[in-house]
Amino acid sequence: MTPAAPAYRRLSVEERRSQLLDAALTLFAHRLPEDVSLDDVAEAAGVSRPLVYRYFPGGKQQLYEAALRSAAEELRHCFDEPRSGPLLPRLARALDRYLGFVARHDAGFSALLQGGSVVETSRTTAIVDGVRRSAAEHIYRHLGVAEPGPPLRMTVRMWITAVEAASLIWLDEGKEPPAEELRDWLMEQFAAALTVTAARDPQTAELVRAALSDAD
């Protein structure tokens, strides 16, 4: 007897949408957004172009923004580290996840942060800024600060900018040095930046003393 073919299962709306977003993210991860067509997404997902339009009637712009939101959500989760144990190792684990995301989505990450895509809009810029704000809020919570003052806010935001810039340079340098070395270097920069700010800001000085106490 011939074995029965497995029953076809129709995907739910959410499952199909997730499938299309996954296909789009994979393409955007290795090619610039302007170089990806809806036909490419349809082929990667194994569906027809009209089906892609059914879920994203706004065309590639809508699909790109939806994929960007999906990627942004993943980036936000990179910093979702339990707030227990010494501060710097916690942030290092979050940074490991961030760099892992950068490594997987290299071309798309570069196009996104460099603002070089023809499909960039105020909405896509807002999505990226939302990731930066989320990262900062996570860091404040790890620091145990509900109301950071201007010096501390500036220090954290400058470090986030430095992490983004270093990630772009890292990709341009062929992902050298190894991610672990880059992570350690960025964490040392964060500790150094906090120390410099602590010399001018009592709030940061108290945080640095607490961090050093946790490390003992």
Side-chain angles (χ1 to χ4, degrees):
M1 294 179 62
T2 303
Y8 173 78
R9 186 175 73 87
R10 183 183 297 274
L11 297 181
S12 69
V13 171
E14 284 305 312
E15 288 173 330
R16 179 67 74 188
R17 191 173 189 277
S18 178
Q19 177 198 31
L20 295 174
L21 286 177
D22 287 344
L25 277 174
T26 300
L27 291 171
F28 291 139
H30 299 96
R31 292 155 60 182
L32 297 178
E34 54 265 38
D35 294 335
V36 176
S37 70
L38 287 183
D39 286 330
D40 294 329
V41 176
E43 181 180 357
V47 301
S48 66
R49 179 188 174 98
L51 183 64
V52 179
Y53 264 113
R54 184 188 307 171
Y55 283 84
F56 299 97
K60 189 171 79 170
Q61 183 64 41
Q62 183 185 9
L63 178 59
Y64 176 68
E65 290 179 12
L68 187 56
R69 289 190 187 93
S70 178
E73 188 63 26
E74 185 177 344
L75 269 176
R76 288 190 184 95
H77 285 308
C78 290
F79 298 93
D80 194 13
E81 178 71 22
R83 293 190 293 279
S84 60
L87 170 65
L88 294 182
R90 273 186 273 150
L91 292 180
R93 289 191 292 272
L95 197 53
D96 276 336
R97 289 192 290 272
Y98 181 92
L99 293 174
F101 177 92
V102 173
R104 292 193 304 276
H105 301 277
D106 45 11
F109 181 85
S110 297
L112 169 63
L113 290 188
Q114 291 174 328
S117 173
V118 297
V119 294
E120 183 186 24
T121 66
S122 59
R123 292 189 299 274
T124 61
T125 300
I127 293 169
V128 179
D129 286 342
V131 174
R132 294 175 180 136
R133 289 193 299 272
S134 178
E137 290 300 324
H138 274 290
I139 292 172
Y140 299 145
R141 286 196 289 271
H142 281 295
L143 291 170
V145 178
E147 297 183 5
L152 181 58
R153 287 201 304 272
M154 187 173 293
T155 299
V156 169
R157 290 173 63 184
M158 286 193 304
W159 184 68
I160 290 171
T161 300
V163 169
E164 290 181 353
S167 298
L168 291 172
I169 296 170
W170 182 59
L171 292 176
D172 193 51
E173 293 291 334
K175 299 177 185 176
E176 290 292 338
E180 294 80 6
E181 291 184 24
L182 177 60
R183 174 206 61 206
D184 291 344
W185 181 58
L186 289 171
M187 290 307 307
E188 289 165 5
Q189 285 196 341
F190 184 60
L194 286 177
T195 301
V196 170
T197 303
R200 297 173 175 269
D201 177 49
Q203 181 185 47
T204 307
E206 181 60 32
L207 293 173
V208 170
R209 283 193 292 270
L212 290 176
S213 176
D214 286 343
D216 291 340

